[in-house]
Amino acid sequence: MADESENGRKHNRPRLFRDIMASRPRNNDELSENSKSVLQDTILQLITHHQNFDALVNESIITDVDQNSLPSKSAVYHDLGYETTSHRSSTTEVSHSVAGCISVLRHEALTAGVPLQIFAANICSGKILDMIGEEKGDGLLLNNKHRAYLKILMRTIIKLLSEQTFSRNTFIKSLNRELELPIELVWMLHTAGIMSLEAYITCNLNRPSVIGNLAQSMTDLTNGECENTQLRKRILKDILGYFVFHGYQEKRDSSDMAAKGMRKIAIAITDNVTKKLITMDPPSVDSLNLFELVRECENVNLSILQRYCTHQLAVILSYNPVLKVSQALISQDQWSYAKTPQHVTVMYKQLLLAFNAEEAVGILRRVLERQEVNWQAVMTFVATFLVCFPQAPKHIKDLVDDLIKQAFAASELDCIITAFLLARQACLEGPHVFPTYQDWFLGCFGDSSISPANNKKTFAFLIKFLTDIVPFEAAHHLKAHILKPPHVPAKCRPVLCDYITLAKTRLADLKEPVELLGIYEEGAGTSACKPQLQNLHQTEKDVEMALAAFEKTGKVPASIMEASIFRKPYYVGRFLPSLLAPRPLPEVSDVRMLLIDSLNRSDKIPVVLYSKYEKGCQREAAQLLEGVFSDEGSMDDMLLDPTEQLQNSLNRFTEVVLEARGEIVPGITSQLSVVSEKLANLLEVDVPQHTENEQPVVVDLYGPDIPSKHIKIVDQILNTFCQTTAAATTFETLCTDWATQYLSMLSRHKTLLPALVVRVWNLICKEAPALDQPHTESLAAFVVHLRGVQALFGDIRVRPEDPTLVGQPFVDVLCGSIPIHTGQWMEFTLRFCTSYLQYAVTSLGCFQMYYMERNQNIVPAAVIKRFSFLVPRMCPVVRYYGTPECPGMDVLNKQKWPLSIKLFTSDQFRCLVDPLTLRLKNWIELELQVISHCDHLSCIERHDYYQWIIYHHFLPTSTDKGGCGGSCIHASSVIFASLMDHDMRHETKVYQVHVDCTASRYITTDGPGCRAELIVLLQELCLQAAPHMTSPSEGPWIINVIEEKLSVGGMSPLGMYCTLSAWFRLASSLVPHLFYVNNPLDVDSAQRLSASLDFINTFMRHHLYEGCVLPYRVTLYLMQGLIVLEQHTHVKQVDSVISISLARCPLLAASLLYHYSTLKPVLHHLIQEDSDKKSHGIFTSLNSLYTWAESIICMAEWSEPPPTETWLSGVAIFTLAKQSALHSGTCPNLQVLKNCESKVLQSYMECVVADASSRYINGEELCNSLARHVIDLLVTTPQCMVAFNTDNGSILTTRVFSQSIVKVMPVICFRILIQASESDILKIISIDNSLKTILQMHVCCTELYRKAAVSDQEAGVYQKLNQPLDLHFMIEISQVVKKFITHSSLEHLCQLQKELMNNCDPDMQCMLRVRLGQT
C-alpha cells in the first residue's frame, strides 16, 4: 500500500525536465561530434531563453516539500558553510535547483546589462516583498508555503554571497523600503547571516514605527495566540538574546559610536517589550515567560543577566507613576501577595532569580532614591520579595530603619512616606513574614531609647506626617496609633492629644469606633471578660441571632431596630456590612434575603450600602457563571464552598512542604499567603486586625461559647499540621521553618484563637489517652512552635484548676495541667513530654525569627519537671543511672520506654534540667495528684519508690540542685510545707469564720490521693532522723515552716486562720514534742521553748482561738508535747518545764483550765509516767482550783479559793458557769459570787464579755439572760465595771484574749448596758472610774464605726454579718452614755482627764461641759 501511494503521488506531481529527457529515446549516434556540440549549445540557449526564476524556485520547493518545512538552525548553519551530517543528503538534492536559480539570475542580469550583484539583490528582495504582500495572518509568523519558498531563496542568496556576487546593502535597502517585515522573516534572515538585526535596525532608524512594531511583535509572540510554541520560543530566545547581549554587556570602547547606538536601541526595545508586558491582559496557559527565556539564552552570562534584570526592575517599578501617595495609602490593602495577579508575581520571581536578597533590596533602594515610582508596582514587588526570600523581612526592616533615620535627620517627607508604605506592606503579609503593624510601630517609636522622634522637633515632624495622612488611613492603622501611641517627649503631650482626637474623629466617620459592643451582648459589665478581639465574632453572632429571630417571628427583631436608632455606629459600621456580605443569591429567597428586604423597605439600610450589596451579589454570580477565577483557583475550586477551598489550599501546602524535602523554598511562604487569604474569606473578615486585640484573650475552657464553624476550621488546621509533621519525619534534613511560618500565619487570624485554645486543650488534657503515637508527636510539635511564637498570639489567659499556674503563658499552663492522676494519663504525659523534648532539642535552633529578639525558653518548666518526675517513677531501671548498680545501655534500650530513657540519660536533657531541676517540693506537688488505687505502681512498689526518691535521691542531693543537702530537718520541712500547701489549695468550703479544728469544717479533697502515704513517709522520716536532729537557736523546724508561711504580707485574718488550721491539722499527725524542740533530749532549760511559746502568744492567740481560749485539740496537742518534754528533762533541772511554760503563756494555762474536764482523763496516764513527779503538783493545783469553782457554781456553796492567781480563779468560775449554763440554762448564783474577791469577779466578768464578743463576731445573738446576769452582777458589785475598761492592763486582755475580741468587747458592753434601767445605771455609776470606763468604751466604739465606714477589711471581724455596727446602734450608745453623764456626780465628772474629754465626740464634750458648768 505504501508503494502504491508513493506511485500515485509521483503521477499527480508535475514532471520535471530531467524526468522528461530521461524518458525519451536517444539517437545521437547519427550526429558528428561537432553537430552534437552545436545542438547542445542551441538547446541550452533555447532553455535559457525560456527559463523562469519563479518556476525554478517552485520546482526546488517541490523537491524539498517532503522535508521539514521549517528552516532548522542546523540547516541554516549548513547554508552558511557549516555543513552537518543530517543535512548533507538534502543539500545534494537541492544544489542543482540553487545552481539553476543562479544561472537564470546570471542570464537575466547579462540580458539587462545590470551587474549580477545588484540585479540578484533587487530580484530577491522583490520576491520577498511580493511574498509578504500575499501573507494573510497576524504579521508574526509565515505560512508553510512561504516558509519553504524563503528557504530556497535564502540558500540561493547564501550561495551568491559565498561567490561574492550579491549586494547585501542593496538587498537590505530594497527589502526595508516600504513594508514592515514579519518577525519570523527578520529572524530567519538574521540567523542565516543575510540581514542581521543590527542592519535591520540601522536601515529603519528613520522609521520609528518599525522599531515599535518589532517590540510589539516580540510581546505578541509571548501570549500564546500563535500556534507552534517551539518556533515562537526559538524566535524570542534568539532575538531577545541578541538585544540583551548588545544592550547590557559591559561597556568597553567608548569611542565606538555604532556600538553605543546599538546599545541604546537594544535597551529601548527591551524596555518597550517590558512595558507592554506589564500592561497587557493576563496571559493564557500557553504563554511564554519572557524573562525565563532570557535566562536560557546561551550568550547571556550572569553579569549580563543581572544588569538586564536590574534595569527591567527599575523600568517596572517606575513605569506610569500616576498613583499619588494618598491613593497608595487607601489601596495598599489590595496589593498583598495573595491578591496580586499571578502573572505579575511570576514576572517578579523570574527577575529576582538573578539576585540574592541583599542585591534585590539594594536595587529597590536605588530605585526609590533615584526616580519617581509606581507605588502599586513597588508594593507588589515587595510582597513577592518577602515571600520568596527567607532573609527578605530582615533586609526590608533594615531598609525601613534607614529611611526613617534619614527622614528624621533631615525632615525628609518622602523618606518617611516610603518607610511607612514599605513597613505596612510587609505587615500586610502576616506575622509569619513580618511583625504586625502595631508591633512594628511600637517597636520603632514606643521606646524613648530607640525612637527617632525623641525630641520636640522630630516628634512634631512625626505627628505632622501622621496628621496629614489621617484622611487616607485604614481604621486598623489609626487604632494602632491610638492604642499604642509613640513615646512622647517632654512638653509634647498636647500635640499627641490633638492627633488622637483627630484620629478618633476619623474613626467615627468610618463607623469604626475603638471599642464596640455587640447587639446581643449581655451588657457593658461583661466586656471585661470578653476581649476586644471578639468584636468580629460578636458581629457574626449578632447576625446569626437576628436571622434566627426573624425566621421564628417573621418580623425584624426589636433589638435590631433599637440598634439602628440608638447604636448607629455599630449598626452601620459592623452589623450591616456583615449582614450584607456579597454572595451568589439563591433563586428562592432565604431568611437572609428576606431580612435584608424588610430592613431596606423600612429605610434601615443606607442606599450606598444596599447598592454596593446588589453589585457585589451580581459580581459573585457572574464570577460563578462566567468562570472568572482567582489566580490560583480553577473551575473546580470555584465550585467548592469556602471550607473545601481552604482544605484544598492546606493540602497544597502539605504538598509544597513535602516537595521541598526539608529545604527552604519560596513556595512555602507564598502558599501560606494563599491559605491566609482563604482563611480570611472563610471567616468573612479582613486582615490584618491587629489593633483590636490589645486586651488579653480570656478563654473559658469549661463553658466556651465558640461557633461550630471555627471548631471545624481549627480541626482542618490541626489535621494539616499533624499530617505534614508526620510526613516530614521522613526527611533526611530536619527543617522546622515551615512550621514556624505556619503558626505565625495562624496568629494573624485572632478570631480563631479561642477555638484553637479550646481544641488544643481538649485534645491534650481531656482526649489524650485515645491518641496514637504519631498524633501525639505532631501535637507536641505544634505546642513547641506555639510556645516559640506565642508573642504573636498575644496574652492568652485561661483559668486553670491549679492556682500556681495562674498568670503563666498558655503553653506553660497547658503543659502544667496535663493530668497524671492515673497510670493511663501518666503514660500519655510521658509520651507527650518525650515527644516535646525530643522535637525541641533536635530543632532548638530553628525557632528564632529575625524580629524575635527576646530570648524565649521553648521548653516550659512544666514539661521538664513532669518528664523528670515520670521517668524514674515508670522506669525503675533508671533510678540508679550513674551508679554501679545501673545496668548497661543494652539493657536500658530493651525497656518499655527506650526513647524516654535515652533522652533522660542524654547530655542535651541534662543541659535543660540544670536550671529547672525537679525539686523535692515539685515532686511532692506532683505525687499528691496521683490517685493511689489508679496508680500503675502497687502499694509495695510505691513504698519502694518513696524510699528511693527520698533517701537515695533528694536527701543526699545538694539544696542548690533541688535536694536536702543531707539534712533531715530540711527534708521534713519541705514535705510538711508542700503537704500544707496542698491542703490549703484543696479546701473547698468554709461554713464559718472561726471553728474548731476537730469539726472538720474545711472539707478537703484528698480522698483517693497519696496524701496519707506521704504523711506516713514524713512520720518515718522524722522518727529516723530524731537521734540526729538538733534544735537550732531559731526554734523548731515545724515552727519555722509556719512562720515562713505567715510572713507573707497582705494576708487577711481569715487567711491567717486558714493557714494556721491547715498547719495544725498536719502538725497534729506528728509527735507533739516537735512543736517545742526537734529532739526532746536537747531540752536542758526552758529557754529552748521560747520560740514555741512566743508563737502561742502571738499567732495562735490572735488567729486560732475558740471563744476566748484555744480549741480543745490544740490545747491537748500542746500539753502532750510539754509532758513529753517534762519526762526528758535532766534531773538537775529544778523548775518544771510545764510550770514555766504555763507561767510564760497564760493563754495555755487558761485553755488548760477551760478544757480541764475533758483533758484530765487523756493526760492522766501521761502524768503517771513522769518519774520525777514534777508535773504532779501542777495538775494537783489545777484540780483544786477546778473543784473550788465547781463547788461555787454547781453546789452554790462558798469556800476559800486555793492559793493561785486571781485571774485564773476568775477563769475557773467562768468555765464552770458556762458548763452549767450549757446543761441547765441558768446563770450562777449572785449571792455566792459576791463573796468572791473583786478582782476575781472582774476576771470572771472579762471572760463573760470576751466569750460573748467571740460569739458576736461569729454571728450569734447576745443572750438576754446573759445580759441581765451581767447587769445584776454590776448592780451587786459595781467594782466589776472596771472589767469593761480595755485599758485596765489585765492579764486576760493583754495576754489571753485575741486582739479582735478585745476590740469588740466595748460593743458587747454597750449592748448589755442598753438593757439597763435608770435605777441600774444609778447603782453602777456610784463608784469611781465608772464614768471614765463608759467614756473610754464610747471612744472605742466610735473609732470602730469610723473604720467600718471606711473599709470592710478594717472593720472585718468587728461587725456581725447580719447586724453591722450601724448608725442606729451608735445613737443608742450615745443615749446610754448621756444617761451615765447625767447621773454622774460632779465629783466623778471632775475626776475625768482632759485628754479623755477631748477624745470624745463633740456632742459628748458639750454635755460634759454643761454638767461641769463650762460654756
Side-chain angles (χ1 to χ4, degrees):
M1 292 297 293
D3 295 339
E4 293 177 4
S5 176
E6 182 67 24
N7 292 333
R9 187 162 59 250
K10 289 180 179 179
H11 287 299
N12 293 332
R13 189 167 43 188
R15 300 180 67 188
L16 300 177
F17 177 74
R18 65 172 179 268
D19 297 333
I20 297 174
M21 294 300 295
S23 65
R24 295 183 65 81
R26 297 183 179 182
N27 298 317
N28 297 333
D29 297 337
E30 300 176 359
L31 297 177
S32 64
E33 292 298 327
N34 187 32
S35 298
K36 289 180 181 180
S37 177
V38 173
L39 179 61
Q40 288 177 355
D41 292 340
T42 304
I43 293 173
L44 286 173
Q45 290 178 7
L46 177 64
I47 292 172
T48 301
H49 182 74
H50 294 281
Q51 184 67 284
N52 184 275
F53 182 77
D54 286 337
L56 284 173
V57 174
N58 289 330
E59 182 179 336
S60 299
I61 293 173
I62 293 173
T63 61
D64 199 39
V65 74
D66 293 330
Q67 301 180 32
N68 185 14
S69 61
L70 298 178
S72 65
K73 201 165 187 178
S74 59
V76 175
Y77 287 162
H78 157 72
D79 291 334
L80 291 174
Y82 302 97
E83 187 174 335
T84 60
T85 303
S86 61
H87 284 80
R88 287 172 185 169
S89 59
S90 62
T91 302
T92 303
E93 293 178 6
V94 300
S95 60
H96 296 293
S97 300
V98 172
C101 292
I102 294 175
S103 176
V104 171
L105 290 174
R106 290 180 186 276
H107 176 75
E108 291 181 357
L110 183 61
T111 304
V114 179
L116 178 59
Q117 295 91 330
I118 304 299
F119 184 81
N122 289 328
I123 290 298
C124 290
S125 62
K127 297 301 181 182
I128 292 176
L129 291 173
D130 292 341
M131 181 190 69
I132 295 173
E134 297 175 2
E135 184 73 30
K136 296 179 180 179
D138 52 15
L140 299 176
L141 301 181
L142 306 174
N143 58 36
N144 289 338
K145 177 182 176 183
H146 289 164
R147 196 175 287 122
Y149 184 90
L150 185 60
K151 177 180 177 182
I152 301 300
L153 200 59
M154 287 170 57
R155 286 173 176 165
T156 302
I157 295 173
I158 292 171
K159 184 64 176 176
L160 290 172
L161 286 170
S162 65
E163 297 175 355
Q164 296 184 354
T165 55
F166 187 82
S167 176
R168 192 193 306 268
N169 291 336
T170 303
F171 173 77
I172 294 174
K173 290 179 181 179
S174 300
L175 193 62
N176 292 283
R177 187 173 293 121
E178 297 178 359
L179 297 179
E180 295 181 3
L181 305 182
I183 190 170
E184 183 182 0
L185 173 60
V186 176
W187 169 71
M188 292 177 69
L189 294 174
H190 170 72
T191 53
I194 298 172
M195 180 183 67
S196 66
L197 284 172
E198 183 178 4
Y200 178 69
I201 296 297
T202 303
C203 188
N204 290 284
L205 285 176
N206 58 345
R207 300 170 65 193
S209 61
V210 175
I211 308 299
N213 287 335
L214 177 62
Q216 183 62 52
S217 298
M218 293 171 64
T219 305
D220 293 341
L221 281 177
T222 64
N223 61 15
E225 295 178 359
C226 308
E227 298 180 355
N228 204 328
T229 303
Q230 292 302 319
L231 177 60
R232 291 189 290 118
K233 185 175 181 180
R234 194 188 308 164
I235 295 172
L236 276 175
K237 280 181 62 176
D238 290 341
I239 296 179
L240 191 60
Y242 178 86
F243 287 131
V244 171
F245 177 79
H246 285 83
Y248 299 94
Q249 64 180 335
E250 187 177 357
K251 296 180 182 179
R252 294 180 180 178
D253 187 5
S254 59
S255 62
D256 190 348
M257 301 305 296
K260 291 177 63 177
M262 187 60 202
R263 178 185 180 89
K264 292 181 179 179
I265 294 172
I267 292 175
I269 291 175
T270 54
D271 290 353
N272 201 356
V273 172
T274 300
K275 292 175 182 177
K276 293 180 182 297
L277 281 176
I278 61 180
T279 56
M280 66 186 298
D281 294 333
S284 61
V285 178
D286 297 330
S287 298
L288 300 175
N289 191 312
L290 188 73
F291 302 105
E292 183 179 4
L293 293 178
V294 174
R295 291 190 298 108
E296 296 176 1
C297 293
E298 297 176 357
N299 61 335
V300 177
N301 57 32
L302 180 59
S303 61
I304 294 176
L305 179 64
Q306 287 182 337
R307 282 191 288 271
Y308 168 73
C309 292
T310 299
H311 185 79
Q312 296 312 309
L313 278 175
V315 170
I316 294 171
L317 300 183
S318 60
Y319 177 69
N320 196 22
V322 295
L323 280 178
K324 298 180 180 179
V325 173
S326 59
Q327 294 172 303
L329 290 170
I330 294 172
S331 306
Q332 190 173 12
D333 286 348
Q334 303 302 318
W335 296 340
S336 65
Y337 174 83
K339 295 180 180 180
T340 302
Q342 188 177 17
H343 71 279
V344 177
T345 59
V346 170
M347 175 179 64
Y348 289 141
K349 289 177 182 178
Q350 292 296 332
L351 290 170
L352 286 170
L353 285 175
F355 310 101
N356 56 36
E358 187 174 359
E359 293 169 340
V361 81
I363 295 171
L364 177 62
R365 185 190 296 268
R366 290 192 295 273
V367 170
L368 292 173
E369 289 175 351
R370 297 177 184 177
Q371 51 196 317
E372 194 173 0
V373 296
N374 183 318
W375 286 115
Q376 183 176 2
V378 171
M379 294 301 107
T380 52
F381 168 76
V382 170
T384 307
F385 172 61
L386 283 167
V387 301
C388 285
F389 290 94
Q391 303 83 14
K394 180 181 184 303
H395 290 293
I396 290 295
K397 183 177 182 295
D398 293 341
L399 174 59
V400 171
D401 292 343
D402 292 343
L403 288 171
I404 288 178
K405 290 179 182 177
Q406 183 179 347
F408 282 92
S411 298
E412 294 187 13
L413 188 60
D414 291 342
C415 289
I416 194 172
I417 289 173
T418 304
F420 268 75
L421 285 174
L422 290 177
R424 290 180 178 184
Q425 186 64 37
C427 298
L428 196 62
E429 294 307 312
H432 63 290
V433 176
F434 201 83
T436 63
Y437 178 75
Q438 178 176 285
D439 291 341
W440 171 82
F441 185 80
L442 186 62
C444 189
F445 300 102
D447 190 347
S448 60
S449 61
I450 60 175
S451 174
N454 54 6
N455 56 57
K456 188 174 183 180
K457 178 182 177 182
T458 54
F459 186 77
F461 174 70
L462 173 64
I463 297 300
K464 183 181 185 305
F465 164 71
L466 295 178
T467 302
D468 291 342
I469 64 175
V470 163
F472 320 108
E473 288 272 59
H476 57 268
H477 291 149
L478 292 172
K479 292 178 182 179
H481 301 158
I482 295 173
L483 298 176
K484 295 293 182 181
H487 165 72
V488 184
K491 301 181 181 180
C492 293
R493 180 64 60 180
V495 179
L496 178 64
C497 293
D498 292 343
Y499 168 76
I500 291 177
T501 302
L502 179 62
K504 288 184 176 180
T505 303
R506 176 60 180 165
L507 285 174
D509 295 340
L510 295 173
K511 306 298 188 295
E512 286 279 354
V514 178
E515 295 182 3
L516 288 173
L517 188 66
I519 295 175
Y520 289 97
E521 204 164 8
E522 293 180 358
T526 62
S527 61
C529 299
K530 297 187 176 182
Q532 293 178 350
L533 63 86
Q534 295 181 354
N535 282 346
L536 295 174
H537 163 55
Q538 181 63 38
T539 306
E540 296 173 2
K541 182 179 178 181
D542 288 342
V543 172
E544 293 175 2
M545 296 183 69
L547 291 173
F550 181 80
E551 183 179 17
K552 184 177 181 179
T553 63
K555 297 180 180 180
V556 177
S559 57
I560 302 300
M561 300 300 289
E562 293 173 358
S564 67
I565 299 172
F566 301 108
R567 303 191 55 207
K568 202 163 187 177
Y570 176 82
Y571 175 77
V572 177
R574 285 198 182 276
F575 179 79
L576 285 182
S578 179
L579 178 65
L580 300 176
R583 61 182 179 124
L585 297 178
E587 295 182 1
V588 179
S589 298
D590 58 4
V591 178
R592 185 181 289 262
M593 291 177 63
L594 294 174
L595 176 59
I596 292 172
D597 185 59
S598 298
L599 289 173
N600 189 46
R601 283 188 279 104
S602 302
D603 295 330
K604 294 301 180 182
I605 301 179
V607 177
V608 176
L609 279 180
Y610 191 77
S611 176
K612 183 179 179 181
Y613 164 72
E614 288 184 322
K615 292 178 181 178
C617 292
Q618 293 171 2
R619 183 174 61 255
E620 293 288 330
Q623 288 180 350
L624 183 63
L625 295 174
E626 297 173 10
V628 181
F629 308 108
S630 59
D631 298 327
E632 71 283 343
S634 62
M635 175 66 74
D636 295 335
D637 193 37
M638 192 62 184
L639 294 177
L640 299 175
D641 61 38
T643 303
E644 293 172 326
Q645 292 183 28
L646 173 62
Q647 187 60 55
N648 284 347
S649 62
L650 289 171
N651 293 340
R652 177 56 188 157
F653 170 77
T654 301
E655 294 172 2
V656 172
V657 173
L658 298 183
E659 291 170 0
R661 303 297 299 176
E663 300 293 333
I664 301 175
V665 296
I668 294 177
T669 306
S670 59
Q671 186 60 30
L672 278 177
S673 297
V674 174
V675 172
S676 180
E677 191 67 23
K678 294 294 184 184
L679 268 175
N681 294 336
L682 183 57
L683 295 171
E684 298 178 353
V685 296
D686 294 329
V687 291
Q689 43 182 313
H690 312 301
T691 57
E692 299 187 26
N693 306 323
E694 290 306 302
Q695 298 298 324
V697 184
V698 181
V699 181
D700 184 3
L701 297 171
Y702 307 102
D705 182 16
I706 299 174
S708 58
K709 181 174 74 171
H710 289 191
I711 295 294
K712 293 178 181 178
I713 295 173
V714 168
D715 283 341
Q716 288 180 287
I717 291 170
L718 291 176
N719 287 337
T720 298
F721 184 92
C722 292
Q723 293 168 6
T724 308
T725 303
T729 55
T730 60
F731 296 163
E732 296 180 359
T733 303
L734 177 64
C735 179
T736 60
D737 284 355
W738 68 267
T740 302
Q741 294 183 43
Y742 189 86
L743 269 294
S744 300
M745 177 277 297
L746 190 60
S747 70
R748 190 183 190 190
H749 303 276
K750 296 289 181 16
T751 52
L752 281 179
L753 192 52
L756 178 67
V757 168
V758 171
R759 195 72 185 99
V760 171
W761 184 279
N762 290 341
L763 282 172
I764 295 178
C765 296
K766 293 184 179 181
E767 307 169 15
L771 302 178
D772 55 15
Q773 183 61 23
H775 202 171
T776 302
E777 293 175 353
S778 300
L779 279 176
F782 183 87
V783 177
V784 169
H785 288 284
L786 183 61
R787 183 68 168 86
V789 298
Q790 65 180 358
L792 299 179
F793 286 88
D795 187 6
I796 306 173
R797 296 183 184 177
V798 295
R799 297 182 177 91
E801 294 181 353
D802 188 351
T804 61
L805 298 173
V806 174
Q808 296 187 18
F810 168 68
V811 172
D812 297 55
V813 176
L814 173 68
C815 296
S817 300
I818 304 177
I820 55 171
H821 58 289
T822 66
Q824 188 181 23
W825 272 104
M826 286 185 191
E827 291 183 358
F828 166 77
T829 305
L830 182 56
R831 284 192 289 117
F832 178 84
C833 292
T834 302
S835 301
Y836 191 107
L837 289 169
Q838 182 69 23
Y839 190 88
V841 168
T842 306
S843 52
L844 196 57
C846 303
F847 296 106
Q848 297 297 331
M849 297 176 69
Y850 79 92
Y851 53 87
M852 292 182 181
E853 298 175 356
R854 48 192 173 277
N855 293 325
Q856 299 188 65
N857 185 11
I858 302 301
V859 183
V863 173
I864 296 177
K865 291 178 180 179
R866 269 171 158 68
F867 185 76
S868 302
F869 170 77
L870 290 173
V871 173
R873 203 178 198 279
M874 302 184 69
C875 309
V877 71
V878 303
R879 296 176 187 173
Y880 300 97
Y881 176 75
T883 64
E885 294 84 358
C886 180
M889 291 305 298
D890 54 341
V891 177
L892 294 178
N893 293 333
K894 295 179 181 179
Q895 299 299 313
K896 182 179 179 181
W897 303 93
L899 184 58
S900 301
I901 294 174
K902 182 179 179 181
L903 183 60
F904 184 79
T905 56
S906 67
D907 294 337
Q908 292 173 313
F909 180 69
R910 294 294 105 191
C911 295
L912 291 174
V913 168
D914 281 344
L916 297 171
T917 305
L918 179 70
R919 300 182 174 274
L920 177 58
K921 182 178 186 296
N922 307 135
W923 178 81
I924 295 291
E925 292 172 352
L926 294 172
E927 191 65 34
L928 284 168
Q929 299 179 30
V930 180
I931 300 176
S932 56
H933 66 270
C934 297
D935 190 8
H936 75 288
L937 297 176
S938 65
C939 292
I940 297 177
E941 291 172 336
R942 189 162 51 251
H943 179 267
D944 293 341
Y945 168 63
Y946 286 173
Q947 293 293 313
W948 170 81
I949 197 74
I950 294 296
Y951 294 106
H952 293 270
H953 178 66
F954 285 118
L955 197 58
T957 305
S958 61
T959 55
D960 58 335
K961 293 185 178 180
C964 305
S967 172
C968 295
I969 293 180
H970 183 81
S972 302
S973 301
V974 173
I975 297 175
F976 189 96
S978 301
L979 290 170
M980 181 178 165
D981 291 340
H982 171 267
D983 290 350
M984 293 182 63
R985 283 197 301 269
H986 290 77
E987 285 172 351
T988 58
K989 191 173 183 180
V990 180
Y991 287 104
Q992 61 185 35
V993 178
H994 295 282
V995 292
D996 188 353
C997 298
T998 62
S1000 299
R1001 302 292 179 90
Y1002 284 84
I1003 301 179
T1004 62
T1005 58
D1006 302 338
C1010 294
R1011 179 181 182 274
E1013 297 182 43
L1014 289 173
I1015 291 178
V1016 172
L1017 177 65
L1018 177 61
Q1019 293 170 340
E1020 179 184 343
L1021 184 65
C1022 292
L1023 182 64
Q1024 293 184 7
H1028 309 288
M1029 284 186 176
T1030 58
S1031 299
S1033 57
E1034 60 269 15
W1037 65 265
I1038 200 171
I1039 297 294
N1040 296 336
V1041 171
I1042 184 60
E1043 286 183 342
E1044 182 179 354
K1045 296 289 183 184
L1046 296 175
S1047 63
V1048 179
M1051 190 177 295
S1052 66
L1054 179 60
M1056 298 281 280
Y1057 175 74
C1058 293
T1059 303
L1060 282 167
S1061 297
W1063 167 82
F1064 175 75
R1065 282 197 304 274
L1066 194 58
S1068 61
S1069 64
L1070 304 178
V1071 289
H1073 73 261
L1074 290 177
F1075 178 81
Y1076 299 99
V1077 290
N1078 295 334
N1079 189 342
L1081 299 178
D1082 289 342
V1083 182
D1084 54 1
S1085 68
Q1087 296 298 324
R1088 289 296 188 106
L1089 310 181
S1090 298
S1092 302
L1093 297 178
D1094 290 343
F1095 183 79
I1096 297 174
N1097 288 328
T1098 53
F1099 293 105
M1100 295 182 74
R1101 171 194 165 200
H1102 294 303
H1103 303 288
L1104 198 62
Y1105 57 87
E1106 180 194 58
C1108 55
V1109 293
L1110 295 174
Y1112 165 77
R1113 284 291 304 276
V1114 176
T1115 306
L1116 174 62
Y1117 174 77
L1118 296 178
M1119 290 306 302
Q1120 286 175 331
L1122 287 175
I1123 292 174
V1124 171
L1125 295 181
E1126 188 78 33
Q1127 295 170 354
H1128 288 83
T1129 53
H1130 296 165
V1131 178
K1132 63 180 180 179
Q1133 182 178 341
V1134 178
D1135 297 331
S1136 169
V1137 171
I1138 297 179
S1139 61
I1140 294 176
S1141 299
L1142 293 179
R1144 292 182 57 182
C1145 186
L1147 173 61
L1148 182 58
S1151 302
L1152 176 61
L1153 186 58
Y1154 184 84
H1155 301 292
Y1156 184 75
S1157 61
T1158 51
L1159 285 175
K1160 181 178 179 180
V1162 180
L1163 299 179
H1164 178 70
H1165 71 284
L1166 293 175
I1167 299 173
Q1168 297 302 321
E1169 296 176 1
D1170 186 6
S1171 59
D1172 292 336
K1173 309 298 181 180
K1174 289 183 291 185
S1175 60
H1176 291 193
I1178 299 171
F1179 286 95
T1180 301
S1181 300
L1182 287 175
N1183 187 66
S1184 300
L1185 183 61
Y1186 189 84
T1187 303
W1188 170 76
E1190 186 177 24
S1191 64
I1192 293 177
I1193 301 301
C1194 299
M1195 302 178 185
E1197 297 178 358
W1198 171 252
S1199 62
E1200 291 296 329
T1204 185
E1205 297 184 50
T1206 55
W1207 69 268
L1208 202 55
S1209 300
V1211 173
I1213 294 175
F1214 165 74
T1215 300
L1216 271 297
K1218 186 173 181 181
Q1219 292 178 2
S1220 175
L1222 291 175
H1223 289 90
S1224 61
T1226 59
C1227 295
N1229 191 327
L1230 293 179
Q1231 296 300 324
V1232 178
L1233 286 180
K1234 70 179 181 178
N1235 294 323
C1236 296
E1237 187 181 348
S1238 62
K1239 291 185 177 180
V1240 173
L1241 291 179
Q1242 290 176 9
S1243 298
Y1244 166 73
M1245 184 70 73
E1246 287 179 328
C1247 290
V1248 171
V1249 175
D1251 184 70
S1253 299
S1254 176
R1255 294 199 304 270
Y1256 176 79
I1257 290 173
N1258 293 327
E1260 295 184 20
E1261 294 287 345
L1262 179 64
C1263 180
N1264 292 330
S1265 60
L1266 176 63
R1268 189 66 254 173
H1269 170 70
V1270 172
I1271 293 173
D1272 293 342
L1273 185 60
L1274 288 174
V1275 171
T1276 305
T1277 312
Q1279 294 83 358
C1280 292
M1281 189 66 188
V1282 181
F1284 290 173
N1285 186 354
T1286 56
D1287 294 334
N1288 59 13
S1290 68
I1291 292 179
L1292 290 174
T1293 56
T1294 57
R1295 302 181 64 184
V1296 176
F1297 301 152
S1298 72
Q1299 187 178 8
S1300 301
I1301 290 178
V1302 172
K1303 286 189 176 182
V1304 86
M1305 283 175 65
V1307 178
I1308 299 301
C1309 292
F1310 276 113
R1311 287 198 175 274
I1312 294 173
L1313 293 175
I1314 288 174
Q1315 303 181 31
S1317 63
E1318 293 284 345
S1319 59
D1320 294 335
I1321 293 176
L1322 287 173
K1323 293 178 181 179
I1324 294 173
I1325 202 67
S1326 62
I1327 66 169
D1328 295 342
N1329 294 327
S1330 294
L1331 180 59
K1332 175 184 176 182
T1333 301
I1334 291 295
L1335 292 177
Q1336 287 178 336
M1337 291 193 301
H1338 181 258
V1339 171
C1340 291
C1341 290
T1342 304
E1343 184 66 22
L1344 287 179
Y1345 177 76
R1346 290 173 181 171
K1347 288 183 178 181
V1350 173
S1351 171
D1352 287 341
Q1353 186 175 1
E1354 286 288 335
V1357 295
Y1358 312 143
Q1359 56 184 13
K1360 293 172 60 178
L1361 184 64
N1362 54 353
Q1363 288 187 355
L1365 197 63
D1366 56 11
L1367 181 60
H1368 177 71
F1369 178 65
M1370 294 302 297
I1371 295 173
E1372 290 182 333
I1373 291 177
S1374 298
Q1375 291 174 353
V1376 171
V1377 175
K1378 289 178 181 179
K1379 289 181 181 179
F1380 273 87
I1381 294 174
T1382 302
H1383 296 292
S1384 294
S1385 64
L1386 184 61
E1387 181 183 358
H1388 290 165
L1389 291 171
C1390 293
Q1391 293 175 355
L1392 295 177
Q1393 297 178 357
K1394 187 175 182 180
E1395 182 180 356
L1396 176 61
M1397 296 176 61
N1398 292 335
N1399 290 333
C1400 297
D1401 60 37
D1403 192 17
M1404 296 298 129
Q1405 290 183 24
C1406 180
M1407 189 171 182
L1408 287 171
R1409 290 192 182 98
V1410 171
R1411 288 282 288 119
L1412 290 170
Q1414 301 174 0
T1415 56

